[in-house]
Amino acid sequence: MENDQDRFDYEVKRLMEDPIVRAELALRDLQSSLDHVRSAMETLASYISREKANALEDGRVVGNIVADDLPI
């Protein structure tokens, strides 16, 4: 059993030294990070859209900007 674990550890170490494997793992990490950023941006856009709709409905001014001037 220990030989199997040693062999596995050796193969993992060998693979992790391969620049192509390391680049692939880095790309997966980057994609995951981009997915999180995209989700956060969608949440923020939704929030801004709701706030703009509420401001327009109430006839409010947001800062020095009239709600009609806010992008959706």
Side-chain angles (χ1 to χ4, degrees), residues 2-33:
E2 187 145 331
N3 275 342
D4 290 341
Q5 185 63 45
D6 290 343
R7 180 69 181 172
F8 176 79
D9 292 345
Y10 169 78
E11 289 297 329
V12 168
K13 183 178 178 186
R14 188 178 66 79
L15 282 172
M16 291 306 296
E17 292 172 353
D18 184 333
I20 294 172
V21 171
R22 292 177 65 165
E24 176 66 28
L25 292 173
L27 284 173
R28 287 181 186 187
D29 286 345
L30 179 59
Q31 182 63 50
S32 176
S33 295

Side-chain angles (χ1 to χ4, degrees), residues 23-70:
E24 176 66 28
L25 292 173
L27 284 173
R28 287 181 186 187
D29 286 345
L30 179 59
Q31 182 63 50
S32 176
S33 295
L34 289 173
D35 290 343
H36 289 293
V37 169
R38 182 180 304 112
S39 176
M41 290 175 62
E42 289 170 353
T43 300
L44 181 58
S46 176
Y47 172 77
I48 289 170
S49 181
R50 279 193 315 272
E51 286 300 308
K52 178 184 176 187
N54 290 339
L56 285 171
E57 187 176 293
D58 298 344
R60 289 184 279 145
V61 173
V62 180
N64 291 332
I65 302 171
V66 176
D68 285 335
D69 297 334
L70 293 175

